[in-house]
Amino acid sequence: MKNEKSIEPGLAVIIVGNDPASRVYVNGKKKACAEIGIYSREYALPEETTQQELLDLVQKLNQDPQISGILVQLPLPSHLDETDVIHNIDPSKDVDAFHPFNVGKIMIGDFDFLPCTPAGVMELIAESGIDPAGKECVVVGRSNIVGKPQAMLLLHKNGTVTICHSKTQNLKEVCRRADILVAAVGRANFITADMVKPGAVVIDVGMNRLDNGKLCGDVDFEAVKQVAQAITPVPGGVGPMTITMLMRNTIKAAELQHQK
């Protein structure tokens, strides 16, 4: 007979307002929790929620032993301060790995959690049998959520990393050097076939909606797939991996809190 107390991971998801894309993401996270047996709780707050009301909820969840991980769905309405909210999440419950404490741990390579999308990209690369060591890796986009941590994770795997952004000169030439090209710029079909080295691995992190309502990534998939050795589709590529990594982070958070 076991004396050990079982650990039940719990995820709290906070969504403010009625952004349709955010609602899709939150529903996907709730569904994943239900499928693998993680307790989940949603807090759907009205658009006019104040900063203090949101911070009070975060502090309440920080103290809730049933909640292992806290996720605030971004973007928040413009009157709310995202940075302040992220800073108020207990780092041990920060399953998005956006808190400066966790960002610093990622920088030095001694981390508990990784940001879900970059971590999902690294899993895709590893599962495909691709080793970034010594390869030219180009990340297009420098956001705190994807671009910067993605570059750091590739560097941890001994890739030679270049980060491109709106001020990069000769972007096409830089991208064409890449053995591994990660597009995270948020512009539909931005990466075209003439920007891709033949035989490159292309990871499309973008999620854009065209005027006809169809989802597409940052990469011109149909053209680039003729050139690339491997390419991720949108939807169905990085997106499911992001949610999988969130589940992994929530379980890890529960385990770490149980050890305290």
Side-chain angles (χ1 to χ4, degrees), residues 40-258:
S40 70
R41 208 188 290 164
E42 179 188 309
Y43 293 86
L45 306 180
E47 183 89 18
E48 60 272 15
T49 297
T50 67
Q51 184 79 7
Q52 193 56 54
E53 286 170 336
L54 182 52
L55 292 178
D56 287 347
L57 174 56
V58 168
Q59 290 301 339
K60 178 180 152 194
L61 295 171
N62 282 340
Q63 304 302 322
D64 189 336
Q66 220 178 353
I67 297 300
S68 321
I70 301 168
L71 184 148
V72 179
Q73 184 64 46
L74 303 179
L76 291 171
S78 58
H79 69 281
L80 297 174
D81 184 343
E82 290 181 0
T83 301
D84 190 30
V85 172
I86 289 166
H87 286 195
N88 275 274
I89 297 172
D90 182 337
S92 71
K93 295 190 176 188
D94 171 36
V95 288
D96 261 335
F98 293 163
H99 191 285
F101 178 81
N102 288 321
V103 173
K105 286 175 74 70
I106 293 160
M107 178 69 73
I108 62 175
D110 175 27
F111 45 79
D112 295 318
F113 311 117
L114 291 174
C116 301
T117 297
V121 169
M122 297 309 292
E123 286 290 326
L124 281 171
I125 291 171
E127 287 295 318
S128 301
I130 297 158
D131 183 1
K135 291 188 170 64
E136 288 271 359
C137 305
V138 173
V139 179
V140 186
R142 56 175 165 180
S143 73
N144 291 332
I145 293 173
V146 180
K148 290 178 188 174
Q150 187 68 73
M152 191 52 55
L153 296 188
L154 287 164
L155 186 60
H156 286 327
K157 291 295 183 182
N158 301 310
T160 300
V161 184
T162 303
I163 305 176
C164 296
H165 45 78
S166 58
K167 299 288 192 292
T168 299
Q169 297 183 11
N170 304 316
L171 179 65
K172 184 187 293 186
E173 288 78 4
V174 176
C175 289
R176 274 187 68 88
R177 292 204 309 260
D179 302 305
I180 299 173
L181 177 64
V182 181
V185 71
R187 290 172 61 183
N189 299 321
F190 181 75
I191 301 294
T192 51
D194 61 346
M195 298 170 74
V196 178
K197 176 182 179 179
V201 173
V202 180
I203 312 281
D204 192 348
V205 179
M207 181 69 80
N208 311 290
R209 197 171 289 278
L210 299 173
D211 292 338
N212 62 9
K214 189 177 177 185
L215 287 172
C216 76
D218 291 349
V219 177
D220 181 355
F221 182 84
E222 291 302 322
V224 171
K225 76 176 184 181
Q226 309 296 330
V227 181
Q229 168 197 333
I231 184 171
T232 61
V234 175
V238 173
M241 293 302 301
T242 297
I243 292 180
T244 302
M245 296 301 105
L246 173 64
M247 299 298 104
R248 175 191 278 181
N249 281 352
T250 304
I251 293 166
K252 178 132 188 223
E255 291 172 341
L256 291 172
Q257 290 156 34
H258 185 73

